[in-house]
Amino acid sequence: MINYSREVQEMCCVAKGPNHGPAPIPEEGKWVKAYEIKDISAFTHGVGWCAPQQGACKLSLNVKNGIIEEALVETIGCSGMTHSAAMAAEILPGKTILEALNTDLVCDAINTAMRELFLQIVYGRSQSAFSDDGLSVGAGLEDLGKGLRSQVDTMYGTKVKGVRYLEMAEGYVTRLALDEDSQVIGYEFVSLGKMTDFIKKGDTPNDAYNKAIGTYGRFADAAKYIDPRKE
């Protein structure tokens, strides 16, 4: 039973004209009028941050008929956040997106990412919005690429000493290449994922390290090379 105030009870009835339902949203190659949670299917991402803005989370969910089938949780900047991410990756699959939105994922950044992702999905702003039948479960791994490592980079710079490249998407930066004017023209890196795979296949750590080395830019043309962590 719904209780109505006396003022509402004494009102006369006015007929409702427009009754066309919600505006359709793009979902997996179709236009869908979403009335219930089960009407939502999408693959997309949300980015969140914690209260002190010390760390951040990128959350990727693959939702089919309102149910989370796949979750990818990537965090940066906070060691405790990694443990919360481990819990979130276990908890989220199997929940409806509404359940997930109201689940305490412990970390502020992951909770915020879930909120932002929810908005993307229910408004039809998903990565799979115009993909026929959406993306298959497992598509989240494609964001990681070979070696299944998150794409991260770490850069540091000061006014007095300039820039230091520490980590790129390709891997851990070991040397910076500088020209005659001490400007960066390239870098050398070690792909930690590849190196680990080589070791798992039986290579010695030293051989694996050397096989996983790569360069970018005009590295060979440098006038000087420096270790960005020590020089």
Side-chain angles (χ1 to χ4, degrees):
M1 292 291 293
I2 299 176
N3 293 321
Y4 296 97
S5 67
R6 183 172 59 84
E7 289 81 4
V8 173
Q9 292 181 42
E10 293 177 354
M11 290 179 181
C12 64
C13 289
V14 176
K16 181 179 180 179
N19 188 23
H20 46 64
I25 60 174
E27 282 188 17
E28 301 190 341
K30 302 182 293 291
W31 289 96
V32 176
K33 288 189 175 184
Y35 291 90
E36 301 177 48
I37 291 298
K38 65 181 180 62
D39 296 329
I40 301 295
S41 293
F43 177 92
T44 198
H45 320 277
V47 175
W49 53 95
C50 59
Q53 300 191 38
Q54 174 181 332
C57 169
K58 175 192 170 189
L59 177 62
S60 305
L61 297 183
N62 199 344
V63 178
K64 302 292 186 184
N65 302 316
I67 304 293
I68 297 170
E69 297 288 347
E70 175 186 16
L72 172 65
V73 191
E74 300 174 88
T75 63
I76 189 169
C78 172
S79 58
M81 194 182 290
T82 62
H83 295 77
S84 298
M87 185 191 72
E90 184 173 356
I91 287 176
L92 288 171
K95 286 185 175 290
T96 70
I97 54 172
L98 186 58
E99 283 180 294
L101 186 66
N102 289 285
T103 295
D104 183 5
L105 300 171
V106 181
C107 170
D108 281 351
I110 303 176
N111 284 322
T112 303
M114 183 64 226
R115 179 195 71 197
E116 297 300 310
L117 186 147
F118 183 88
L119 294 176
Q120 293 277 84
I121 287 177
V122 297
Y123 286 126
R125 308 303 200 269
S126 70
Q127 183 176 322
S128 60
F130 299 103
S131 301
D132 287 339
D133 300 321
L135 300 178
S136 62
V137 175
L141 294 178
E142 295 177 6
D143 279 7
L144 301 179
K146 293 180 179 179
L148 300 184
R149 286 175 55 85
S150 295
Q151 298 186 59
V152 299
D153 81 324
T154 306
M155 304 295 162
Y156 180 74
T158 60
K159 178 181 177 182
V160 66
K161 296 295 183 178
V163 71
R164 298 294 187 278
Y165 299 178
L166 301 176
E167 185 142 2
M168 287 283 196
E170 299 98 327
Y172 178 99
V173 178
T174 52
R175 289 191 292 167
L176 290 185
L178 308 182
D179 65 10
E180 293 80 359
D181 299 319
S182 292
Q183 295 183 359
V184 178
I185 60 171
Y187 54 87
E188 178 187 71
F189 62 87
V190 176
S191 173
L192 299 179
K194 288 182 179 179
M195 185 179 77
T196 303
D197 287 340
F198 289 142
I199 292 173
K200 287 193 294 185
K201 291 177 180 177
D203 287 0
T204 66
N206 191 59
D207 287 344
Y209 176 84
N210 290 323
K211 287 170 67 175
I213 289 177
T215 62
Y216 183 84
R218 294 186 290 119
F219 185 80
D221 301 331
K224 180 182 179 181
Y225 300 100
I226 66 169
D227 182 333
R229 291 169 174 80
K230 294 183 177 180
E231 296 178 76

